[in-house]
């Protein structure tokens, strides 16, 4: 079974290195295609305006001067002679909980693997400067092994967040829904050394909807949260009332 | 009522210019914050690695050296003293149908306006080199006017696709769901003038799920498709079975 | 006579707009090809890793998603059917004195026009936020007019710095040599909003060699400095002693 | 003696790896600060519009998300507690002969080390896909050793080009001047997969001034060319006649 690995922190990030080492326990056919630098916050962005370059760093490890989505897109549309069977993205240095998922390059890399016919998994390790990559890597191994034994539907995309604890200190796994953050914090105004104004995007908001059932809640209790993600962005429940509204137009 | 306009084709794109002119019929309080260049395919990407610069091009028109999401994010987190009431994004030069929505910067700009308390609208004009921006602008005016008279729920995000026809030639409006494209076409391999390999992302796949009820189907019949978009990416229907699966871990 | 204009502050910069307006007095055949954004500090950098895009902004005004050197390079290697006769670059918002010239995109744009068979001129207006663009534009007109009447050798490149004064307040023109700055100021260490370290390039050093005959000295006395720039970076005076040194190898 | 190494092909380029290994014979105090990706053609460009990030790849090896000039600038303005004594840049994959020097990031990195009080050296290996990095590395060692024994003036910058031959096959060293290339080849017009026009910078021109005494001539005869480079871009020989010309203004 060929595993395709990627991430959004870049080809040399510690989280990806841990993931590669762990996945070697499961398969001896692993290819990793990751951005050549940190592309956190890249979401599902695709590079359409310029061509991409692929650099082979070592056997089975490639980097691309593009986004996580570019990496998985190239890897699944002809970069290699043989298709991968599954995509595992991560281990992200930091949580991807609630609204974070909209912006996450880690989750986007998994999403882009959706056409491969097997589930895709995005793994994130919670914390500002998390350290237990071994824990997250072991969780990833647990999940991929189980997926092989007990397959999930082919179009499943799982967003996995792991508390920054020793593996033994984890309190199990929970199937969750995405919670919700408050509105982002105010932008940060500053000036460059030449006195010109610059603006940084502010920090993500705090937890708003973080009650039982959410990913925020699960990880707050020391559990690994596993949230199924959907690709179809249609808000199906709103179509009927919109249908009436449209009559006024 | 303050309208916030943005797009992903850049501050000088014809579609945005048409939109600005049309919206002036509705409000005299319009601010436009758009990328300083074409950022098609940017999805919801946020620029976290470097600060952003905002340049005032003329009264009420600003450009940012970032993504569409950066533009709306800054505009709604402190760039201006007063919040906008509604976000309208577009008019995109080209369709945003089915899976396109995942990658679309136009839709992402609307999505980023979700916290403002009024619906957000993304408007795209179908075609490779579409010409009827006036039609799409008039559709945008119709919709915003109706939203003011008959408000939709505050967290509504509408993805609107307009056939490239004269306004009179349109066959009305349809509330739709997103259709589905086939897997993207193969990557395009080429070499640069120095003989080194380069790769372009291939074209989007053709229509796969394009039956009645989809956006593809509606626009194929000359109607404006209006698809409600959701922010919550949880695949709620999969949580229960995932809950059982998780027990095996 | 076809004039090719460019700059490094971007196609919409005030200095370029002034220059375009002034040059219209001299010729009715003017093309401007400038970067699509601020590219100060670009030096002679050429974009070799990706293709460039050229966008026509209005009649005779084009922007390129590249460096000043890219702009003039494209404009002189086939972008237009007819070659330009002379390149004028500027008006830069800020001085290009002494060592600045090494890093200057404004001077680089002029340098890149060296093959055209007529002199190339780079014009900069001194000051942090200079205002007398009309003065600098008039100086540029004076110079181009004189060049036409009294041609200079074809491979002449002139670096012109104009004090930020009313035209009448200028104390004439001076042929100068480049002065010298002290070593640049220390880098500026900071951290981004996520607490990660970032570094800004420090400010240019103060004047070191700024005595009579230098550009620093001339502009300090209210005169326009005109420094001839060379393309041949060989340090000819050092070849003989190097020749001896090489014998030891 | 602390040696500062850099290049423009990026921190992981084969040429830099060879150079680092070879320099370890001379000093046990080596720091390398190089771009995080290929920045060929960067010339002396400095990144002023955004802050830079420095990443430690391994002991003594750092990469920067900027240009070669940024790398050496940061390294000599405070990134480290102790200043380096000499800068060696390379080994570039490809020649830097004649006009190439204007655009070369390899030479620019050496130039930026000019304030350190010891000579700076840029080393390039000739050829499209050169292979004898060991030869160029040994040449670099020869030169640095000789510089230590027989110092050159402190502001010397040497541009060294090495034929792609075995070390034993080299026909010695020559002190040279820069030759000259013909005008660059025509731009290359193409279109992207969406049918939009794109332009690549054309190839450098062939040899124009390549007679005896030039770097082109020396390397054509199997010798290592060593050209002294100057920082002062004033064309001193033209000042007097320009002084007369200026009187007409």
């Amino acid at each position: 079974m060929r595993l395709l690995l990627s991430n959004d922190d870049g080809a040399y990030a510690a989280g990806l290195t841990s993931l590669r080492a762990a996945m070697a326990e499961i398969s001896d056919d692993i290819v990793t295609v990751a951005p050549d630098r940190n592309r956190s916050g890249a979401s599902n962005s695709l590079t359409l305006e310029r061509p991409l370059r692929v650099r082979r760093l070592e056997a089975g490890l490639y980097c691309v001067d593009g986004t996580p989505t570019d990496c998985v897109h190239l890897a699944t549309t002809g970069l290699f002679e043989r298709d991968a069977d599954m995509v595992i993205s991560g281990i992200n240095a930091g949580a991807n909980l609630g609204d974070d998922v909209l912006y996450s390059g880690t989750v986007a890399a998994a999403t882009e693997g959706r056409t491969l016919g097997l589930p895709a998994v995005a793994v994130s390790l919670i914390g500002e400067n998390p350290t237990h990559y071994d824990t997250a890597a072991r969780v990833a191994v647990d999940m991929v092994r189980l997926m092989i034994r007990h397959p999930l539907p082919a179009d499943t995309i799982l967003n996995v967040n792991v508390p920054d604890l020793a593996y033994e200190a984890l309190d199990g796994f929970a199937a969750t829904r995405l919670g919700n953050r408050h509105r982002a914090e105010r932008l940060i105004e500053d000036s460059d050394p030449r006195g010109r104004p610059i603006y940084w995007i502010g920090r993500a908001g705090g937890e708003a909807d973080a009650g039982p059932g959410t990913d925020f809640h699960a990880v707050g209790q020391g559990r690994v949260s596993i949230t199924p993600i959907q690709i179809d962005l249609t808000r199906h429940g709103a179509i009927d009332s919109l249908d009436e509204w449209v009559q006024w137009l």
Side-chain angles (χ1 to χ4, degrees), chain A residues 103-238:
Chain A
Y103 308 105
S104 167
T106 309
V107 177
T111 301
E112 195 65 16
R114 70 189 186 279
T115 50
L116 291 178
L118 278 182
V121 187
V123 184
S124 302
L125 183 59
I126 298 168
E128 287 274 306
N129 289 296
T131 57
H132 291 85
Y133 287 109
D134 52 331
T135 301
R138 219 166 132 185
V139 163
V141 168
D142 289 348
M143 294 194 59
V144 173
R145 283 216 166 107
L146 184 55
M147 274 179 204
I148 293 170
R149 279 208 323 273
H150 296 273
L152 289 163
D155 56 353
T156 302
I157 298 164
L158 300 180
N159 181 39
V160 180
N161 280 273
V162 182
D164 191 23
L165 300 169
Y167 184 81
E168 293 70 25
L170 292 175
D171 191 24
F173 299 79
T176 53
R177 63 179 169 85
L178 296 172
N180 220 187
R181 292 189 184 277
H182 285 292
R183 195 164 165 174
E185 289 182 16
R186 199 182 148 79
L187 57 81
I188 294 154
E189 230 172 320
D190 202 347
S191 62
D192 71 17
R194 279 130 204 104
R196 306 213 173 93
I198 55 175
Y199 302 90
W200 291 91
I201 297 288
R203 299 180 70 97
E207 305 168 9
D209 168 15
T214 66
D215 48 2
F216 285 114
H217 190 260
V219 302
Q221 305 207 321
R223 284 187 289 162
V224 174
S225 75
I226 306 178
T227 308
I229 297 294
Q230 70 175 358
I231 295 302
D232 176 6
L233 300 183
T234 311
R235 186 171 182 163
H236 290 281

Side-chain angles (χ1 to χ4, degrees), chain A residues 15-39:
Chain A
L16 181 59
T17 305
S18 292
L19 186 66
R20 290 174 66 211
M23 287 297 143
E25 296 173 28
I26 294 180
S27 171
D28 53 6
D29 185 8
I30 296 178
V31 289
T32 302
V33 186
D36 63 356
R37 64 199 91 147
N38 186 352
R39 295 300 298 255

Side-chain angles (χ1 to χ4, degrees), chain A residues 37-57:
Chain A
R37 64 199 91 147
N38 186 352
R39 295 300 298 255
S40 295
S43 189
N44 304 83
S45 67
L46 265 181
T47 301
L48 302 174
E49 288 295 293
R50 60 173 174 86
L52 297 161
R53 289 172 190 271
V54 179
R55 193 154 47 96
R56 185 182 169 283
L57 299 175

Side-chain angles (χ1 to χ4, degrees), chain A residues 80-101:
Chain A
F80 304 113
E81 296 206 354
R82 203 151 60 72
D83 259 358
D85 300 296
M86 192 188 290
V87 174
I88 304 110
S89 169
I91 299 164
N92 192 59
N96 276 307
L97 297 164
D99 305 341
D100 300 344
V101 166

